[in-house]
Amino acid sequence: MIEQRPKGGDDSAPQRPPRDGFLARTATRSAAVAERWFPNTLVFALLTVAVVAIAAMGIGSGPAKVASVFGNGFWDLIPFTMQMAMVAIGGYVVATSRPIQRVITRLAQIPATERGAVAMVATISLTSALLNWGFSLIFSALLVRRLAERDNLRVDYRAASAAAYLGLGGSWALGLSSSAAQLQANAESLSPSLLSITGVIPFRETIFTWQSLTLAAVVIVVCVSIAYLTAPRGDSVRTAADLGIDPSDPVEDDEPRTRPGEWLEYSPLLTFVVVALVAGWAVQEFADKDPIVAISALNTYNLLFLTLGMLLHWRPRRFLAAVNKAVPTTAGVLIQFPFYAGIAAIMTQATNGGGDSLSHYLASAFTGVGSSTLFPLMMGAYSVILGFLIPSGGGKWIIEAPYVMQAANDLNVNLGWTVQVYNAAEALPNLINPFWMLPLLGVLGLKARDIVGYTFLYLVALLPIVLGLLTLLSTTLPYHPPVQP
């Protein structure tokens, strides 16, 4: 840490650097504990398998039946697993393209003040996450690096980096790449047991309701305000240089061609053909369908993002290089989602002699609140707590949906809003959970403890606001039974 010296008098006497506040110190300690003691998230998935299997046998389901439904359900979500992996890859590929890099460089020249710079990063992170969380994460991280390169602006690297993460902790689950909303809008992505409980819920009843849009707007305003007010100024600023980080990126030129067979890898000809085909298909798709229905199809969403990435990279070789860098970010999704599918199968299909499953007992516990008004508050708080242990929006929804959606049916709570209760509450634990920070931290060269002192402040502010709005807005939506395809 660099010592600060007084502006006048004896400059040989070092000035004690400003101390973090109580909340920041508490958050930093929490992050250090999490980094030291939290195992890989796959361990949590495997532990959940064991707990759920034992619980199913505890209610009277036989070991053979538990094993059978686990194995049979393990691959139920393969389409959705691949679709979620492609969401991450598509966002990463678009964000790392050269045209987008030039946009980032220009945006970094706009802010005139340190606080304005941090607030701009927060705004871009939160709004871009509504489009694609993978794009938001990488785009915002690269923007922080470009801001850190400016010689005429001393931006606190920690505060700006925390602001870059806000899309994952605040708004992403209320946008187009929401795992739960996308899953519920696509019948082919749902397991049969979940489909029978929830039916198909289109975007018009989840992320595109005025209630959800209002909630997203409030989250954005609150986060941007906090980002602006808490950004350090003057002697409290810690730049990238102060932290020993070089924010500049090495220039990556195309490798020289070494053989004639490589010429198509460097030619935009095939890119143009593919983009033209997809453009023609997209025109027909959106002309023949309601645009909201069309974009809610995960395959459509992913195809458009990947095609945009291919167009922006222009040459197939650059596009493939970007995909190669993006694939490691999907490892957790690819290996963990099948286990979550197996967990959901045990919870819904491993019944006892009376025909009841774990999902039935958990739904009964939620129904026991006896009030449709209190249900969103109870469910939201529960989702926040569970989110600390299972940091996967789609994976956790697969586990949670069978019993919370059954409880919503029993209490006549709007099913679309129940999905949004989950979405808004589920995102909050991301603010201090190191798991989803890893791609961002890798780009920025930081550790979780460097930014969690700031992100914890956002969690403290958002938690009562989000839970309060989820409860209040639920009273404005009527219930209707599940709609089967």
Side-chain angles (χ1 to χ4, degrees):
M1 184 177 292
I2 295 177
E3 293 181 341
Q4 303 296 320
R5 301 182 183 277
K7 299 183 180 300
D10 182 8
D11 63 1
S12 64
Q15 179 180 335
R16 178 176 298 178
R19 296 184 63 192
D20 290 329
F22 171 75
L23 290 178
R25 295 198 305 274
T26 302
T28 301
R29 294 191 189 103
S30 298
V33 170
E35 282 191 287
R36 181 176 177 83
W37 292 105
F38 268 45
N40 185 280
T41 51
L42 176 61
V43 173
F44 281 120
L46 300 178
L47 180 62
T48 306
V49 170
V51 170
V52 169
I54 293 170
M57 288 184 279
I59 65 170
S61 183
K65 186 166 190 176
V66 172
S68 175
V69 298
F70 176 76
N72 291 335
F74 193 80
W75 301 113
D76 280 351
L77 294 169
I78 283 299
F80 183 62
T81 301
M82 181 57 68
Q83 288 166 333
M84 282 296 101
M86 296 307 293
V87 169
I89 291 173
Y92 188 103
V93 166
V94 170
T96 55
S97 65
R98 294 186 180 186
I100 297 298
Q101 296 278 1
R102 288 193 286 271
V103 170
I104 292 172
T105 300
R106 290 173 184 168
L107 285 173
Q109 301 304 313
I110 294 176
T113 66
E114 297 91 342
R115 284 187 166 182
V118 175
M120 184 184 76
V121 172
T123 302
I124 290 175
S125 176
L126 289 156
T127 54
S128 61
L130 294 173
L131 181 64
N132 180 289
W133 65 262
F135 173 81
S136 170
L137 202 64
I138 304 304
F139 185 96
S140 302
L142 294 174
L143 176 59
V144 172
R145 292 181 70 94
R146 299 293 78 79
L147 285 166
E149 289 179 327
R150 288 182 53 179
D151 295 329
N152 60 342
L153 189 67
R154 284 177 50 80
V155 178
D156 190 281
Y157 197 66
R158 304 161 304 171
S161 298
Y165 186 62
L166 288 175
L168 263 290
S171 62
W172 82 274
L174 299 174
L176 288 174
S177 60
S178 162
S179 303
Q182 285 280 11
L183 182 67
Q184 292 299 155
N186 291 272
E188 64 275 11
S189 299
L190 291 164
S191 64
S193 58
L194 182 56
L195 180 62
S196 66
I197 297 171
T198 68
V200 176
I201 307 174
F203 276 1
R204 188 172 280 107
E205 297 182 22
T206 55
I207 63 174
F208 287 144
T209 61
W210 70 261
Q211 292 88 346
S212 181
L213 295 172
T214 298
L215 179 60
V218 170
V219 167
I220 291 172
V221 169
V222 170
C223 287
V224 172
S225 300
I226 295 173
Y228 181 84
L229 295 173
T230 59
R233 294 182 294 177
D235 293 340
S236 298
V237 170
R238 293 292 178 271
T239 65
D242 293 334
L243 298 171
I245 296 170
D246 179 6
S248 62
D249 295 325
V251 178
E252 295 185 3
D253 294 324
D254 291 329
E255 296 179 5
R257 305 178 200 182
T258 59
R259 54 190 177 86
E262 292 180 337
W263 75 273
L264 278 176
E265 297 179 21
Y266 291 87
S267 170
L269 177 62
L270 295 179
T271 298
F272 179 79
V273 171
V274 172
V275 171
L277 285 172
V278 174
W281 169 83
V283 169
Q284 298 177 67
E285 186 76 2
F286 283 87
D288 295 341
K289 298 179 180 178
D290 182 328
I292 294 179
V293 174
I295 197 61
S296 67
L298 259 173
N299 290 337
T300 300
Y301 175 84
N302 281 330
L303 178 57
L304 293 178
F305 243 91
L306 282 176
T307 305
L308 176 61
M310 182 176 288
L311 178 63
L312 291 172
H313 283 279
W314 195 234
R315 305 181 190 279
R317 192 179 187 93
R318 293 178 188 167
F319 175 73
L320 184 58
V323 171
N324 286 336
K325 293 180 180 178
V327 166
T329 66
T330 68
V333 170
L334 292 174
I335 196 61
Q336 290 180 46
F337 271 40
F339 286 100
Y340 293 137
I343 293 167
I346 293 175
M347 295 185 70
T348 57
Q349 299 172 36
T351 55
N352 57 19
D356 295 327
S357 64
L358 276 176
S359 179
H360 167 77
Y361 287 106
L362 288 168
S364 299
F366 272 97
T367 307
V369 302
S371 169
S372 59
T373 303
L374 286 178
F375 175 74
L377 177 62
M378 299 288 291
M379 178 190 164
Y382 170 80
S383 296
V384 169
I385 295 170
L386 192 61
F388 287 111
L389 300 177
I390 306 176
S392 170
K396 189 163 74 69
W397 177 246
I398 294 163
I399 298 171
E400 196 172 329
Y403 53 89
V404 297
M405 294 297 272
Q406 183 60 57
N409 280 315
D410 295 340
L411 291 170
N412 289 341
V413 177
N414 183 276
L415 295 178
W417 188 245
T418 302
V419 175
Q420 292 307 90
V421 169
Y422 170 84
N423 277 330
E426 186 280 329
L428 295 179
N430 290 346
L431 287 167
I432 60 173
N433 194 313
F435 177 70
W436 288 113
M437 292 181 185
L438 296 178
L440 179 92
L441 297 173
V443 173
L444 295 169
L446 294 172
K447 294 186 180 296
R449 60 175 174 265
D450 294 319
I451 69 171
V452 80
Y454 291 93
T455 58
F456 184 69
L457 298 177
Y458 295 102
L459 175 62
V460 170
L462 286 176
L463 187 59
I465 294 173
V466 168
L467 292 181
L469 283 174
L470 289 174
T471 304
L472 177 64
L473 293 172
S474 69
T475 62
T476 66
L477 288 154
Y479 170 80
H480 65 76
V483 177
Q484 300 297 330

